[in-house]
Amino acid sequence: VFHYSEFMNEENGPKDQNWPYHEWSRGKRDRFIRELIPIARNNTIMGIGGLVSVRDYNAIIPDEAKYEHPYHFCFDLFFGAIQQFLRNASNWGYESPFAPNEKVAFFFDRQDQFKHKALEQYSHALTHDTDNRFGGIAFESKEEYPQLQAADLLVGRTRGIGRRIFQGKQPVNTNSWDEDLGAGGKILAMHYDA
């Protein structure tokens, strides 16, 4: 089972004899990820996410208005981004992969840390779903749904792009994994920064 954060853990992973990539060279890891990227990219209808600079979030948002965790704010951005995309895709130059009244279902990796909050924020998003486009929400296992492994790759790379944006750097470098992954404009990440 592919876990992006585990794959990218070059600091602690090599010290662990059980790390799946323990004796892999940088070249082998690069070839492996470059084989995964077209699978994720070509089998993804659309990747949509929400990003926030944690530094800016902590500096700007008053304590009484903060969420329990910045990830919770990202969930709100995510659901808001989906709603905006469904309403405005063609105005933004995207061809929507969804039929005009098609419902969108949400599948997340099964985990306990953010599940409760995701369900709470999904319920809140439903109150703003005036177009009735949100379908169901489910939490499933990556072992049983390899699509979640592809989503994990998309999220991990998009997070890196966001970090570079927040640092004022070039978001996507030429001939990079991110350039390969984003080919075709199938990723939309809405973000707030100061």
Side-chain angles (χ1 to χ4, degrees):
V1 175
F2 178 77
H3 294 276
Y4 178 78
S5 60
E6 179 181 54
F7 178 78
M8 292 303 295
N9 187 357
E10 292 182 286
E11 183 177 334
N12 296 314
K15 299 173 190 171
D16 180 357
Q17 294 294 322
N18 295 320
W19 188 48
Y21 316 102
H22 182 67
E23 295 188 11
W24 286 25
S25 68
R26 182 170 295 279
K28 182 174 181 176
R29 293 179 73 232
D30 184 66
R31 286 189 302 278
F32 174 73
I33 202 77
R34 287 193 186 268
E35 287 178 13
L36 289 181
I37 284 172
I39 295 168
R41 181 190 63 229
N42 298 339
N43 293 287
T44 297
I45 294 172
M46 189 73 190
I48 299 177
L51 302 166
V52 64
S53 163
V54 175
R55 183 185 63 231
D56 291 347
Y57 175 85
N58 287 331
I60 295 169
I61 306 295
D63 287 342
E64 62 274 5
K66 285 183 180 166
Y67 291 69
E68 291 174 43
H69 193 285
Y71 279 180
H72 302 167
F73 181 70
C74 286
F75 272 118
D76 274 351
L77 286 178
F78 168 73
F79 289 123
I82 294 282
Q83 289 173 331
Q84 291 301 314
F85 178 79
L86 291 171
R87 289 186 187 131
N88 301 306
S90 62
N91 298 336
W92 295 346
Y94 287 93
E95 182 179 329
S96 178
F98 305 105
N101 293 312
E102 184 178 3
K103 288 189 179 269
V104 176
F106 300 91
F107 290 86
F108 293 97
D109 187 24
R110 186 181 299 150
Q111 48 79 23
D112 294 327
Q113 186 178 8
F114 296 110
K115 179 180 179 179
H116 175 73
K117 194 63 175 177
L119 287 168
E120 182 181 307
Q121 289 175 273
Y122 172 76
S123 294
H124 181 259
L126 284 176
T127 66
H128 298 286
D129 181 24
T130 56
D131 301 326
N132 195 31
R133 297 294 301 276
F134 282 9
I137 185 171
F139 296 84
E140 300 295 343
S141 165
K142 280 185 184 181
E143 288 82 8
E144 295 176 36
Y145 291 88
Q147 300 90 330
L148 290 169
Q149 295 174 47
D152 191 44
L153 173 61
L154 288 167
V155 168
R157 296 313 302 171
T158 302
R159 183 173 181 250
I161 291 169
R163 183 174 40 253
R164 290 190 295 277
I165 289 170
F166 298 141
Q167 293 170 346
K169 297 178 180 176
Q170 178 70 23
V172 176
N173 296 319
T174 304
N175 198 30
S176 67
W177 295 349
D178 300 323
E179 184 179 65
D180 291 351
L181 190 58
K186 292 183 177 182
I187 299 173
L188 172 67
M190 298 184 90
H191 70 279
Y192 289 95
D193 66 27

